[in-house]
Amino acid sequence: PPPTRRPSGWFADPWASDQWRWWDGSNWTGHVSGRATATPEREPRLPSFLSPPVVAAAIPSIPLIGFILVVVPLAIALGFVPLLLVAPVLLWMDRLEPEPWSERVHAFLWGAFVAGLISLIFNTLFAAITGSETAAAVISAPFIEELTKAGAIVWAVRRKHVDGVMDGLTYAGWSALGFAVIEDFSYFWLAEDENLLFETFVGRALFTPFAHPLFTAWTGLAIGLAVRRRRPLITAWWGLALAMASHAAWNGALSLAEDEGGAVVTVVVLIGFVVLFVATAIGVMVLRRRDRLRLVQLAPLIAQRYQLPLDRVLTLANPRDRRRTRKALPKAERKALDAEAGAVARLGMLFDHDTAPAPADEARLVSQLAAARS
């Protein structure tokens, strides 16, 4: 990598000899440029939290949100409640290997705009063709919504920000949360016209705010496993299938409860949701513990290979010790500590395999570690 104090600019890609890669002053980014000329033509047009699909989908989506804001401003305010409930859980999940905020925001915007817009168009057309809102909820919605939300995870893989299962779950959660927020805008808007805003808000924002993240978690789990095992993403099809199946079962149960007016069915659905939530939470805690213990085991190797003090690596590998160290630092240095901890954790994941790490991936993470420690 170029010297960490070098200003941002285009440099020879350290793991692809036929292209340039943009150095933002501290890290390599996902922006690349071909070497058709002696020098690359221009810097990236978009910041890291945006991408061409997000911008294209936001152009028609933002006016619609603005219309709802003017007509029923309460719908927009209530739509952000799930964000307040789910975001802290996603941040807790991501404490060992914190992802860049720009990438979290990108996944959220992808779910809100890309997945939200495509799903709205597809589901509306399906309901119009079949003449059944229930069919759209049970057939088209699970398929198109889970498929489009998965795009945010794939984009994070493309940008080389997914190194394992927890990363896959993290990006799945942020993408699903963005979709849930934008979907609640429309649900609350329509509910206001039918005088059902309170009931809809309680059911969607308070009782089941984790519904979409729980469905998409299957996709994130499968993609994370595929990346960790260094297999093609197509092998993660089973996670997408489980996400679609659980989503369809959930929508079908709710439709049955609404059509039949059955309180018993509603209670059973809510109990099933609670069971799924608890099981997922336990699974996440087990995965976090497994990653932490594995990083502790790999600490001597990481310290020796990258010339780091062993006690420093052990401190970064233990969330409690890292939190204590972080509190003792000035605010200006805490961000660097988080970046260093993330780089160390990702380097550890490179060696959590039977095969040697890819030189390109190792070079990318070493540059991030050097930038953080500088």
Side-chain angles (χ1 to χ4, degrees), residues 42-86:
R42 54 180 175 268
E43 65 184 74
R45 296 179 178 178
L46 296 174
S48 298
F49 66 89
L50 293 176
S51 63
V54 169
V55 173
I59 292 174
S61 300
I62 292 178
L64 177 59
I65 297 173
F67 172 77
I68 298 176
L69 179 62
V70 172
V71 177
V72 188
L74 185 59
I76 301 297
L78 296 179
F80 282 108
V81 171
L83 178 65
L84 302 177
L85 299 175
V86 179

Side-chain angles (χ1 to χ4, degrees), residues 100-284:
W101 265 109
S102 60
E103 299 303 321
R104 299 173 187 172
V105 173
H106 178 266
F108 180 88
L109 296 178
W110 182 289
F113 294 138
V114 179
L117 179 64
I118 295 176
S119 298
L120 174 64
I121 296 173
F122 193 94
N123 292 334
T124 301
L125 290 175
F126 191 90
I129 294 173
T130 61
S132 172
E133 293 287 344
T134 301
V138 178
I139 300 175
S140 71
F143 174 81
I144 193 64
E145 291 174 10
E146 295 307 323
L147 184 64
T148 51
K149 284 186 289 183
I153 315 172
V154 175
W155 199 273
V157 173
R158 176 180 176 271
R159 288 179 167 180
K160 298 185 181 298
H161 284 289
V162 177
D163 303 294
V165 174
M166 289 305 302
D167 289 346
L169 291 174
T170 296
Y171 286 109
W174 284 107
S175 176
L177 179 57
F179 182 88
V181 169
I182 204 78
E183 188 181 49
D184 281 346
F185 290 166
S186 60
Y187 269 95
F188 296 158
W189 168 39
L190 298 175
E192 173 66 19
D193 290 339
E194 300 174 0
N195 295 321
L196 294 173
L197 179 58
F198 177 76
E199 295 87 342
T200 306
F201 168 73
V202 172
R204 292 187 61 86
L206 300 183
F207 282 178
T208 58
F210 289 91
H212 277 290
L214 287 176
F215 304 147
T216 315
W218 289 110
T219 307
L221 171 67
I223 291 178
L225 282 174
V227 173
R228 181 177 172 184
R229 295 170 178 173
R230 299 172 186 172
R231 296 178 180 176
L233 292 188
I234 191 65
T235 60
W237 65 268
W238 59 271
L240 182 60
L242 286 175
M244 293 178 179
S246 59
H247 195 159
W250 172 259
N251 285 1
L254 292 181
S255 299
L256 178 62
E258 182 178 354
D259 295 340
E260 300 296 331
V264 175
V265 176
T266 303
V267 171
V268 171
V269 171
L270 291 177
I271 292 175
F273 175 83
V274 172
V275 171
L276 177 61
F277 176 81
V278 172
T280 304
I282 294 174
V284 168

Side-chain angles (χ1 to χ4, degrees), residues 318-329:
N318 189 311
R320 182 177 301 176
D321 293 342
R322 187 173 75 240
R323 187 163 57 250
R324 187 182 301 113
T325 302
R326 193 178 189 276
K327 288 182 179 179
L329 291 174

Side-chain angles (χ1 to χ4, degrees), residues 4-79:
T4 55
R5 294 183 180 180
R6 179 173 295 185
S8 60
W10 289 102
F11 297 95
D13 193 326
W15 52 89
S17 60
D18 60 341
Q19 65 185 14
W20 301 85
R21 186 171 294 272
W22 182 259
W23 173 264
D24 66 4
S26 60
N27 291 301
W28 294 108
T29 70
H31 300 291
V32 296
S33 176
R35 278 188 172 167
T37 57
T39 58
E41 296 180 357
R42 54 180 175 268
E43 65 184 74
R45 296 179 178 178
L46 296 174
S48 298
F49 66 89
L50 293 176
S51 63
V54 169
V55 173
I59 292 174
S61 300
I62 292 178
L64 177 59
I65 297 173
F67 172 77
I68 298 176
L69 179 62
V70 172
V71 177
V72 188
L74 185 59
I76 301 297
L78 296 179

